[in-house]
Amino acid sequence: MEQSRFIKFWDGILPFLIAYAFAQLLIIGMVTAFEGHHTMIIQNVIQTGMILPMGIWIKKNSVKQDFQEGNQHPIRLILCIFMSAALFSMALNQIIDALQIKELSGEYAKVSDALFSPGKFQIILCVGILAPVFEEVLYRGILFGALRKRFSYLASAMISSIVFGALHMNLIQFIYAAAMGYIFAYFYEKTRKLLFPILAHVFANGISLIMTFTGFSNWIFSKPLLSLMLAFLEGLLGAAFLVWFGKTHNSKKKIKSLKNKKMSNQEKKREK
């Protein structure tokens, strides 16, 4: 029994490991060739260029789920995604800073300096758009999708989120990425469409960049007690929007199920 679970786990994680290793080898080769110039752009262009073959793999191997095509209140869904992703992102950033966890990770300071050293346009392009697209295809589309075919949602979401956090290679980003990764997995589980976790990731990264560029981060971080109080409220509101998202999806699934049942009954009457 244990061996069977191990084999299932290995089968689920192997496609992800292959894609991740291939991307890193390409990045190392290109960065070396260009002698370290424009490292962030090179990395993200290579990663984004891998999306097409990854997307084809996901299409062939995805778990089929009943999801209404014509979209279920798209404005409401996007509003829920934006608010929950933005609020949870703000709350996590404020909690991490208020609890002074950053002092435990010297590696994070180096990553942060490197991340914000390029110009704003490059940061917005890479951190706000390209990285979320690639990471969602890789971590939710390939890793979570493959695990979900073999394990429960909870196990698949936890494993993929922990891997997502761990591969950021420092404590601060591990905590943040693992928590946000679980939320992104929830959106993918509910919809089976990568567009939704991609949007959530873009919104989360985007609000972090806005907080940094406007100086709001420095202001709120200078008031730890206020920061924690706001984080608590943001977490509650983010959870409320997640619940609303789930109810919106479930209600529309029930409507579609009733419609299918009605059409099936009509077809049976015609056959008689």
Side-chain angles (χ1 to χ4, degrees):
M1 188 66 174
E2 290 300 320
Q3 186 179 11
S4 176
R5 286 182 180 178
F6 175 78
I7 291 172
K8 286 197 298 181
F9 173 77
W10 181 249
D11 286 343
I13 204 169
L14 183 60
F16 163 79
L17 292 176
I18 293 172
Y20 182 82
F22 182 58
Q24 296 309 308
L25 287 173
L26 278 177
I27 291 166
I28 291 170
M30 290 296 289
V31 170
T32 303
F34 282 89
E35 298 181 351
H37 295 297
H38 307 295
T39 301
M40 186 184 292
I41 290 180
I42 293 170
Q43 176 178 338
N44 283 275
V45 167
I46 291 171
Q47 290 175 338
T48 306
M50 294 180 64
I51 287 175
L52 182 59
M54 285 181 180
I56 294 171
W57 187 92
I58 293 168
K59 187 72 175 176
K60 290 181 178 179
N61 294 276
S62 61
V63 180
K64 292 184 178 179
Q65 181 169 316
D66 185 21
F67 186 82
Q68 188 175 5
E69 290 294 341
N71 273 335
Q72 323 165 23
H73 304 299
I75 296 176
R76 187 186 301 177
L77 290 180
I78 292 173
L79 174 64
C80 290
I81 290 169
F82 170 75
M83 292 303 296
S84 56
L87 287 165
F88 278 123
S89 175
M90 293 170 67
L92 282 168
N93 278 314
Q94 289 162 213
I95 291 170
I96 288 170
D97 187 84
L99 297 179
Q100 299 182 342
I101 302 174
K102 291 180 181 178
E103 296 179 0
L104 302 176
S105 178
E107 194 64 31
Y108 174 73
K110 298 177 184 177
V111 173
S112 183
D113 290 341
L115 192 63
F116 288 97
S117 59
K120 287 185 180 180
F121 174 77
Q122 184 176 330
I123 294 170
I124 292 169
L125 175 65
C126 296
V127 178
I129 300 173
L130 297 181
V133 174
F134 171 78
E135 289 178 350
E136 289 313 305
V137 171
L138 183 62
Y139 291 99
R140 253 57 66 184
I142 292 181
L143 180 57
F144 173 80
L147 289 170
R148 188 67 181 92
K149 292 172 68 177
R150 297 160 177 82
F151 301 101
S152 67
Y153 159 70
L154 183 62
S156 302
M158 289 187 68
I159 293 169
S160 61
S161 300
I162 290 171
V163 172
F164 179 48
L167 288 177
H168 280 76
M169 304 297 185
N170 64 80
L171 177 63
I172 305 304
Q173 287 184 301
F174 169 76
I175 295 170
Y176 177 86
M180 293 303 298
Y182 191 90
I183 295 169
F184 300 151
Y186 174 80
F187 288 129
Y188 188 44
E189 170 71 12
K190 280 289 185 179
T191 63
R192 282 292 150 191
K193 290 184 180 293
L194 274 172
L195 172 63
F196 293 100
I198 287 173
L199 283 176
H201 200 150
V202 168
F203 293 151
N205 284 14
I207 199 68
S208 294
L209 292 177
I210 291 171
M211 288 175 67
T212 301
F213 291 152
T214 59
F216 179 78
S217 291
N218 291 333
W219 178 80
I220 195 65
F221 292 165
S222 67
K223 300 170 172 57
L225 182 58
L226 176 62
S227 184
L228 281 175
M229 291 172 64
L230 280 176
F232 177 73
L233 292 174
E234 289 159 358
L236 287 178
L237 284 173
F241 277 104
L242 272 185
V243 171
W244 192 22
F245 178 89
K247 286 187 176 180
T248 299
H249 175 78
N250 290 335
S251 64
K252 295 303 289 186
K253 271 187 78 174
K254 288 177 182 177
I255 291 171
K256 185 181 178 184
S257 178
L258 289 171
K259 284 182 179 178
N260 289 340
K261 189 175 181 180
K262 186 177 180 181
M263 290 175 64
S264 178
N265 290 335
Q266 288 175 349
E267 289 176 0
K268 288 180 180 179
K269 287 180 181 180
R270 287 173 187 171
E271 290 175 359
K272 290 180 180 179

